[in-house]
């Protein structure tokens, strides 16, 4: 009788609310994934991404057996679900939690890795696949598809390496890996969208310039929109001071304005990922100091929690999708052909990554040879930076679904083959490279060496006395000759130490003009700002 009643209620619930049972099962598996991740946290060998993929694969196997080989899915992935609901909290949290001092100290290096590096990697992967895929018998892709493949597999996932690196022991390395990971994802998405706007019917010598111009337009306007929304939010919170009546309202304003920045960017056909990232940076820099202490602490935990759940959700789905029988049966490639194509993609990822990490690191060291901070990127650091960007993750999966499926479904054999190969590359790089990350980092950076690096990083920076932080660039109270000499010295310093000089003058401008309007503590009280 009890069993009959349970079946009756289950059937009734499934008929009236067909999505309730799949969503409930997926959330239950998500909770199980969190518990297992907690139990495996101590050894630091298996990160949350690997745990989610493995749990997803096991869940997919069980569902496949229950459905008698029909399907391994609990839910059907829609790329719009990723770009509208899952991606914004991940990217906003990255901007909100970023260590701004180190990020902007190494801004040019991070931007060179994250922007120039993506272009180099995209070119190598796109031309490599265009040349090698037909030799493996894999044909049917268009020029747009090959360029999209280049952007898809140029997007990195550095979570595994960041969980092993210690921010206090290797601040420079951690800053470069974290900063490049965020900028890399943003650049990959912007470049992917720029590729979609190419008119391949009328290709000519100006096409590359138009793509680059379109990229610059998307990059700059999206960044400015994110900064604008962040500043407006900060100004409103500082002026109205919601905390005197309700801490809930000020936290709600931060969450809603962050999400609004992303939606506005998508509405104006800009890059939401860039907009929400810089909105997060600005809110962290100004808005978080205009709310009560409890709201400041709560906001950091809430944003981190939302990002964590979204990332785990995505990797859990990747694990179940690996056993998608429909895509495997639809694919135009055999098992051997699939392994060949995925091996080529992985090799090109390795090559494309090396093609810019090592040359740009050498260039960075050359440009910083005059700085007194003496924070050069050693060869061991370069190897770790190269390795950290080999893993492919959520953004690659989402872009592949956007390019080769419609609402998560594809009936085209070539497109199905690309989706399955993307899943294989993500699984292989996350599991294999992820497992090897800890022994590699421990071998290259023993704890003692890392500790010494930390001590060197604490060396006092030149030219940064407290009183210098509030001085204007030029003074109307001094003579023209004094101002001229100061300007000449500043230009000389700018030529010798461009990044440090720009950062120092930004701190002066920020303290003198921005913080009084948009909020934030004095620099001497919070040197990490």
């Amino acid at each position: 009788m009890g069993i009959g009643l349970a079946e009756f209620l289950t059937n009734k619930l499934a008929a009236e609310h067909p999505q309730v049972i799949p969503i409930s099962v997926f959330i239950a598996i998500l909770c199980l994934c969190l518990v297992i991740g907690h139990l495996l946290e101590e050894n630091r060998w298996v990160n949350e991404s690997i745990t989610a993929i493995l749990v997803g694969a096991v869940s997919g196997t069980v569902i496949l057996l229950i459905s008698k080989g029909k399907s391994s899915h609990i839910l059907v992935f829609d790329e719009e679900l990723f770009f509208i609901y899952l991606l914004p909290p991940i990217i906003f949290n990255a901007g909100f939690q970023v260590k701004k001092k180190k990020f902007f100290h190494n801004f040019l290096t991070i931007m060179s890795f994250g922007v120039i590096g993506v272009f180099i990697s995209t070119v190598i992967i796109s031309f490599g696949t265009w040349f090698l895929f037909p030799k493996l018998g894999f044909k049917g892709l268009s020029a747009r598809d090959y360029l999209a493949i280049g952007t898809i597999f140029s997007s990195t996932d550095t979570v595994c390496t960041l969980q092993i690196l210690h921010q206090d022991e290797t601040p420079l390395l951690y800053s470069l890996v974290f900063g490049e990971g965020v900028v890399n994802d943003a650049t990959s998405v912007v470049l992917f969208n720029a590729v979609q706007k190419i008119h391949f019917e009328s290709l000519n010598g100006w096409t590359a310039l138009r793509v680059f111009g379109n990229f610059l337009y998307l990059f700059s306007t999206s960044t400015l929109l994110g900064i604008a929304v962040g500043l407006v939010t900060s100004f409103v919170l500082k002026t109205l001071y919601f905390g005197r009546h309700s801490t809930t309202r000020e936290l709600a304003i931060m969450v809603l304005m962050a999400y609004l920045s992303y939606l506005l960017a998508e509405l104006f056909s800009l890059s939401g990922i860039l907009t929400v990232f810089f909105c997060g940076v600005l809110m962290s820099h100004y808005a978080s100091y205009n709310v009560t202490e409890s709201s400041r602490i709560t906001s950091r935990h809430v944003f981190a929690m939302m990002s964590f759940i979204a990332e785990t959700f995505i990797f859990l789905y990747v694990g179940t999708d690996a056993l998608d029988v429909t895509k495997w049966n639809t694919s135009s490639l055999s098992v051997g052909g699939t392994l060949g194509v995925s091996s080529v993609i992985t090799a090109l990822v390795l090559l494309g990554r090396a093609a810019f990490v090592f040359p740009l690191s050498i260039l960075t060291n050359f440009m910083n040879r005059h700085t007194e901070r003496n924070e050069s990127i050693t060869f061991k650091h370069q190897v770790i930076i190269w390795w950290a960007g080999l893993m492919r993750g959520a953004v690659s999966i989402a872009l592949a679904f956007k390019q080769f499926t419609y609402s998560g479904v594809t009936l085209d054999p070539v497109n199905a083959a690309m989706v399955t190969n993307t899943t294989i590359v993500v699984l292989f790089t996350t599991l294999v490279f992820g497992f090897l990350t800890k022994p590699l980092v421990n071998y290259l950076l023993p704890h003692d060496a890392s500790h010494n690096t930390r001590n060197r990083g604490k060396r006092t920076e030149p030219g940064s006395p407290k009183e210098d932080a509030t001085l204007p660039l030029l003074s109307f109270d001094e003579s023209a000759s004094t101002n001229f000499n100061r300007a000449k010295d500043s230009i000389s310093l700018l030529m010798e130490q461009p990044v440090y000089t720009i950062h120092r003058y930004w701190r002066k401008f920020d303290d003198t003009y921005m913080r009084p309007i948009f909020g934030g503590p004095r620099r001497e009280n919070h040197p990490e700002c």
Side-chain angles (χ1 to χ4, degrees), residues 444-502:
L444 292 175
L445 295 177
H447 180 73
D448 291 339
S450 299
H451 186 74
N452 294 334
T453 302
R454 175 186 59 185
N455 292 336
R456 288 198 305 269
K458 289 184 177 179
R459 197 180 306 174
T460 303
E461 294 178 4
S464 56
K466 283 185 179 181
E467 65 273 15
D468 197 36
T470 58
L471 286 176
L473 304 185
L474 296 176
S475 175
F476 292 106
D477 298 329
E478 296 178 353
S479 64
S481 60
T482 302
N483 281 328
F484 177 77
N485 290 331
R486 178 181 291 175
K488 185 173 68 173
D489 293 339
S490 298
I491 293 174
S492 299
L493 188 61
L494 178 63
M495 297 299 293
E496 293 181 1
Q497 305 177 33
V499 178
Y500 173 73
T501 306
I502 293 172

Side-chain angles (χ1 to χ4, degrees), residues 505-518:
Y505 281 125
W506 159 249
R507 289 174 59 177
K508 293 181 183 181
F509 178 80
D510 190 31
D511 276 340
T512 307
Y513 302 106
M514 299 295 287
R515 288 177 183 270
I517 299 175
F518 299 105

Side-chain angles (χ1 to χ4, degrees), residues 202-221:
S202 56
L203 286 177
N204 53 51
W206 296 100
T207 301
L209 286 178
R210 280 198 295 268
V211 172
F212 185 69
N214 192 18
F215 170 83
L216 288 180
Y217 167 76
L218 288 175
F219 200 96
S220 58
T221 51

